[in-house]
Amino acid sequence: MATALVVACTSNSQEPGVKSAPARPSVAASPGPTVTTPSRRPRETSTSRRNVHDAREAHTATLLGDGRVLITGGLGIFGPIASVEVYDPAKDTWTTGTNMSQSRTGHSATLLRDGRVLIAGGTDELGNVVSTEVYDPATGRWSAAGPLLVARTAHTATRLQDGRVLIAGGSGLFGVVASAELYNPSTGIWTRSGNMVVARGGHSATLLEDGSVLVAGGGDGLLKQIVAEIYDPGSGTWSSTDALETPRGDHRASLLAHGKVLVSGGSEDQSTTETYDPSTATWTTTRSQETVRERHTATLLGDGRVLVTGGGPAKFSAEVYQPSTGMWSPAGDMDVGRSAHTATLLRDGRVLIVGGVDRDGPLSLVELYDPASGRWDSGPAVGAWSTAGQMAQRRNDHSETLLNDGRVLVAGGVARLPPEADDEVGPTTSLNSVELFDPATGRWSVTGSMGEARSGHRAILLGDGRVLVAGGGMLAEGDSEDGRRVLVYLASTEVYDGPSGTWSAGASMAEPRWTHTATVLKDGRVLVAGGDDSEGRLDSAELYDPSTDKWSSAESMARPRSGHVATLLGDGKVLVAGGAGDSAEVYDPSTGQWSQIGNLTQTINRPGGAALSNGRVLIAGGFGRQGPLVTAELYDPATGSWTLVEPLPRFRMQPSATLLGNGMVLFAGGNRSTLTTLYDSSKDTWLFAGKMLGARQNHTATLLKDGRVLIVGGQNRVLKILGSAELYSP
C-alpha cells in the first residue's frame, strides 16, 4: 500500500619560523572604526576550549625559538587590535602579552635570526601605517624599529639567507605598489631594493633553496595576476619568470622538500593547484583540490605533505597534498569554517589553527590537527574516535540494527545517482541494498537486498533475532516538468533472517508512514506511531505482533507527530515527545491508551532522546521556532514532569543519542559541528567527547556489545551523502 507526493529533491612556506603576512579581505579595504585597546599585563587564561582571549582575523602567528607561538594584532570585532597572546604547547596554556605600540591588521611578522620577531606595516584605525616594532620573547617586551619607507598592508615579508628581511608589494596609500625594501636587523635600517615587475598585493613570496625569492600572483583587489617574478638578493633586482597557469590572489605557496613550490587556491571559481620548478623555471598544473579556497592556510608538515585548511566562511574541510603522488586526500573537518586564519606547525608535529572569520565575524576558537592520527582536536576529551571503514554504498536516512551475534545491519537509505554531466549533481535515489559490519574484524560485507528500496523507515530487532523493517519512502521518477522526483510513502514491511541473509515480505501496516517511531514493548510487540504520509503528519499508531505477523490498530495520539522521539520507560510504557509543538504523551500497553503529560518548555522538533539508567528520559537539542536549540530537559516518570537541565554546549538538530554502559549519553552529529558531547546525569554536566572526522546529520548510531558506538553514514555540511563510519570508544 503506497501513496505519493512530489518532493524537491597564512602560511607561505619559506623556511621554518618565517611567516608571510596573512591576506586581508581586500587590499583596498577601508579601515575600521577607532578602537582604544588598553595595555595588559601578562596573565594565563582558561584553556578548556583552547580559545584565544580576543577574536581576530588577518592576524599573524609566529613559531618562536622556544616552541611557543606568538599571535599579534588582526581585525577584531570592532576594528584593528593591538593585543598579543602567546601559546605554550608544553603547558597547553595561553598568556596575554603586552600590546603592540599600535593596533594593526594585514601586517607581517618575521622571526629574526636572534629569535626576536619583526612586525611591519599593516592598517590601523586611520589607514596604512609605516611603523615597525620588534618583540623580544626573552623579556616579552616591544621596542620600536625604523619606519618603513612606504606605508603598506597585505604585503609579504621574507627572511633572506643572510638574515635581512625583504618586504615586497602590498597596498599603499593610493593602491597596490611595486616597491620593495630591506630591513637589516644589525643596523635597524630600511633600504630600497628596486621595484617588482608588477605592482601587487595579496601575492605569495617563497624563499627558494638557492636564496632567491619567488613572488607569484596577487593583484589590486579586483584583478588577479598570473605574473611571477624572481628576486635576486645578490643584485637586489627583480626579473620575470614563467607565468602562472591561473590568475590567483590570496592564495598560498609552500616550498616542498624537493625544492619545488606548490601554489594552492586563490581563484574564485577554480580549485586548481600548480607547482613551480626552479630548475626549469616553469609552472605545471597538478591535481585539483576538493574545493575552491581563498585566504586559506597551507602548512608544510614534518613528513613533507602539505595541509590546507579553510578558505571561506563555509569551508570547514581540510585536505592534504602528497608531493610523491601529486594527490589530494581529505583531512577531516575543522569545527568552524573560516578564512584569514593562521596555521602554525608546532615542534611536536601538530598544526595550531587560530582565529579567522566566518559569516558571524572574527573567531576566537582554536583547533589542533594531528597528522599522526589525521584528526582534529579542540581540547582534552573523554573517550576516543577511530575510523570504521567505508561502506560499499554511500547512504543517508537509512536504518542501523544490532543483531544478536554482535554484527550490525545497515539497510536502505538514499544515495545520489551519477550525474549526466561533470558540472551537474546527480539525482537522489532510494536504496534496497543492505550491508553488515562486523566489529570483531572491522569489516563491511554486503548481504541480501530488501524487496523494496526505502528510506526514512524503521528497523527493529525482534525477540527471535529477526529484523523487522517497516514503512518509509521510496523516491521514484515523477511526471513534473521541473524534474523533481516523487516520494512514494510505504506501508509495506519486510523481515530479515540473519542466518540465511535473506528478506521475506511481512504483513503491511494499515497506513503508509515515513519518519515515524517504532518501539519494542516488553511483551515483544512493536508500537509504531506518527510520521508523515501524503496528507502530512499522522496521529495514528499501530501494533505489530511477531508471533502472528499481524498489525492491529492502536489508539491514536492526541497530536499528529513527525520528528518526535519515542522512549521505552522502565514500567513498560512509551514516552513520545516533540514533533508536535511542546506537547508530550505516554502510551500504556496494558490499557492501550495514550495520556498527555506535562509539556516541554518549548516547541521541539527532531531532538535527540535517551532513557537514562535512573529511569528518567533526557531530551536535548532539536529545532524550535527560532532555529536550532541547545535546550536539554529531563522527564521524571515518577512525577510526570519535565525539568530543565544544563544546556548542550552547542546546538544540534536531530543528533544521535546513545546510552553508554557507564550511564552517560553520547550526543553526536546532527549539526554543523564535529564536536561530540557526553551528558553525565550524576552531575548534570556535559563533557567533551572528542571530534568525529567530519560533521554529519541523518546518520545512525548503535551501541555495540563491546561498549563502543558505531556511527554510520548521513550527510555532511554541504549535504554530500557519506559512506564513512566511525567508532567511539568510551
Side-chain angles (χ1 to χ4, degrees):
M1 181 175 173
T3 57
L5 174 71
V6 177
V7 295
C9 295
T10 320
S11 180
N12 297 333
S13 297
Q14 299 162 20
E15 60 181 18
V18 183
K19 301 289 179 184
S20 294
R24 299 181 61 201
S26 168
V27 293
S30 300
T34 300
V35 177
T36 301
T37 308
S39 178
R40 295 193 198 97
R41 296 181 62 83
R43 62 176 176 81
E44 287 195 354
T45 60
S46 171
T47 59
S48 60
R49 295 185 61 192
R50 292 199 177 103
N51 287 359
V52 288
H53 182 272
D54 292 323
R56 61 183 84 210
E57 61 167 305
H59 52 284
T60 65
T62 309
L63 181 67
L64 303 176
D66 58 10
R68 295 180 299 159
V69 180
L70 174 72
I71 304 293
T72 69
L75 190 62
I77 297 174
F78 301 107
I81 58 178
S83 68
V84 173
E85 304 186 51
V86 178
Y87 176 69
D88 187 341
K91 298 179 181 179
D92 194 21
T93 57
W94 285 94
T95 301
T96 302
T98 304
N99 287 355
M100 294 183 291
S101 63
Q102 66 180 111
S103 58
R104 56 179 93 215
T105 182
H107 53 292
S108 61
T110 311
L111 183 69
L112 303 177
R113 278 184 169 178
D114 59 9
R116 296 179 301 157
V117 179
L118 172 69
I119 302 294
T123 300
D124 67 3
E125 299 85 352
L126 302 178
N128 292 350
V129 299
V130 296
S131 70
T132 68
E133 48 193 310
V134 174
Y135 176 78
D136 187 346
T139 63
R141 295 179 178 176
W142 293 92
S143 58
L148 289 165
L149 302 177
V150 174
R152 63 182 86 213
T153 186
H155 52 281
T156 55
T158 310
R159 192 181 85 190
L160 304 177
Q161 290 181 345
D162 61 8
R164 294 178 298 166
V165 179
L166 173 69
I167 300 288
S171 178
L173 296 177
F174 303 104
V176 293
V177 298
S179 66
E181 45 191 302
L182 287 167
Y183 176 74
N184 189 331
S186 61
T187 64
I189 297 176
W190 291 90
T191 58
R192 297 186 184 277
S193 190
N195 288 346
M196 294 187 291
V197 176
V198 173
R200 63 181 97 206
H203 50 288
S204 62
T206 310
L207 181 68
L208 303 179
E209 290 182 337
D210 64 0
S212 60
V213 179
L214 170 70
V215 168
D220 60 4
L222 296 175
L223 298 177
K224 298 179 180 180
Q225 293 283 352
I226 61 172
V227 177
E229 48 191 305
I230 298 290
Y231 176 75
D232 181 358
S235 62
T237 58
W238 296 87
S239 59
S240 297
T241 188
D242 189 35
L244 290 161
E245 300 285 339
T246 302
R248 302 177 188 273
D250 293 332
H251 55 286
R252 296 296 178 260
S254 307
L255 181 66
L256 305 177
H258 49 48
K260 294 182 180 180
V261 177
L262 172 71
V263 168
S264 61
S267 302
E268 294 177 356
D269 57 354
Q270 296 187 52
S271 57
T272 59
T273 62
E274 45 193 306
T275 58
Y276 178 78
D277 188 344
S279 64
T280 61
T282 57
W283 292 93
T284 303
T285 300
T286 63
R287 290 185 179 271
S288 296
Q289 299 173 110
E290 177 185 84
T291 185
V292 176
R293 301 179 189 273
E294 283 188 282
R295 302 171 70 211
H296 53 292
T297 63
T299 308
L300 184 66
L301 303 176
D303 58 11
R305 296 178 299 158
V306 178
L307 173 71
V308 170
T309 70
K315 301 294 173 63
F316 303 84
S317 66
E319 45 193 314
V320 170
Y321 177 76
Q322 175 58 264
S324 62
T325 62
M327 301 288 289
W328 291 91
S329 58
D333 286 356
M334 295 184 292
D335 192 42
V336 175
R338 60 180 95 202
S339 61
H341 52 292
T342 56
T344 308
L345 181 67
L346 304 177
R347 286 185 171 180
D348 61 11
R350 294 178 300 164
V351 178
L352 177 74
I353 304 292
V354 175
V357 62
D358 66 2
R359 289 191 177 98
D360 297 323
L363 298 166
S364 61
L365 184 65
V366 172
E367 305 188 56
L368 282 163
Y369 177 75
D370 184 357
S373 64
R375 289 185 172 269
W376 290 89
D377 170 37
S378 292
V382 177
W385 288 89
S386 60
T387 57
Q390 194 81 7
M391 293 183 290
Q393 173 66 60
R394 296 174 181 265
R395 58 185 83 226
N396 174 53
D397 209 10
H398 51 284
S399 65
E400 181 179 352
T401 312
L402 179 67
L403 304 179
N404 284 338
D405 62 7
R407 295 180 300 167
V408 178
L409 181 76
V410 174
V414 294
R416 287 199 180 276
L417 293 170
E420 295 181 359
D422 291 341
D423 59 348
E424 295 179 352
V425 176
T428 303
T429 186
S430 297
L431 302 169
N432 68 344
S433 63
V434 182
E435 304 184 47
L436 286 166
F437 177 74
D438 188 344
T441 63
R443 294 180 180 177
W444 290 91
S445 61
V446 175
T447 187
S449 296
M450 295 185 292
E452 284 189 284
R454 62 182 81 216
S455 64
H457 54 284
R458 294 297 174 258
I460 310 98
L461 181 69
L462 302 176
D464 59 9
R466 296 178 301 157
V467 176
L468 172 70
V469 165
M474 178 177 61
L475 286 168
E477 296 293 339
D479 298 326
S480 58
E481 295 181 358
D482 59 6
R484 290 185 295 175
R485 312 198 86 200
V486 172
L487 179 63
V488 179
Y489 294 93
L490 301 174
S492 63
T493 70
E494 305 183 48
V495 176
Y496 177 75
D497 179 64
S500 65
T502 59
W503 293 85
S504 59
S508 292
M509 295 184 292
E511 289 190 79
R513 57 184 81 229
W514 178 65
T515 63
H516 46 290
T517 57
T519 310
V520 180
L521 305 177
K522 289 192 173 182
D523 61 10
R525 293 179 299 164
V526 178
L527 173 69
V528 167
D532 292 283
D533 69 1
S534 58
E535 302 298 323
R537 292 182 176 180
L538 298 169
D539 61 2
S540 63
E542 307 182 46
L543 286 164
Y544 176 75
D545 188 340
S547 64
T548 62
D549 187 31
K550 291 183 179 180
W551 290 89
S552 60
S553 61
E555 184 182 60
S556 294
M557 296 181 291
R559 300 282 297 276
R561 297 180 187 275
S562 175
H564 55 292
V565 293
T567 309
L568 183 68
L569 303 177
D571 59 6
K573 297 178 183 179
V574 178
L575 169 70
V576 171
D582 59 358
S583 71
E585 47 192 310
V586 169
Y587 177 77
D588 187 345
S590 64
T591 64
Q593 294 181 335
W594 293 90
S595 58
Q596 290 186 274
I597 58 172
N599 289 349
L600 295 154
T601 59
Q602 59 187 315
T603 296
I604 293 180
N605 216 10
R606 299 183 181 181
L612 304 179
S613 54
N614 59 14
R616 293 180 296 172
V617 177
L618 173 68
I619 300 290
F623 199 82
R625 288 194 176 98
Q626 304 301 319
L629 301 173
V630 296
T631 308
E633 37 196 318
L634 285 173
Y635 173 72
D636 188 347
T639 62
S641 60
W642 294 91
T643 304
L644 279 173
V645 295
E646 182 74 18
L648 280 161
R650 179 161 301 193
F651 72 81
R652 298 183 183 276
M653 188 178 73
Q654 201 173 358
S656 58
T658 310
L659 178 65
L660 305 180
N662 58 14
M664 295 186 184
V665 179
L666 174 70
F667 275 74
N671 64 337
R672 289 181 169 270
S673 176
T674 59
L675 291 171
T676 60
T677 49
L678 289 168
Y679 178 72
D680 184 346
S681 60
S682 65
K683 300 177 181 177
D684 185 25
T685 57
W686 292 91
L687 305 174
F688 176 48
K691 299 182 70 173
M692 296 186 293
L693 278 176
R696 60 180 83 213
Q697 59 190 21
N698 293 337
H699 58 289
T700 53
T702 299
L703 179 67
L704 304 179
K705 292 192 173 184
D706 61 9
R708 295 179 296 169
V709 178
L710 176 68
I711 304 286
V712 175
Q715 292 177 302
N716 65 9
R717 290 181 171 110
V718 294
L719 303 184
K720 180 180 179 181
I721 296 175
L722 303 171
S724 62
E726 303 188 52
L727 284 165
Y728 174 75
S729 300

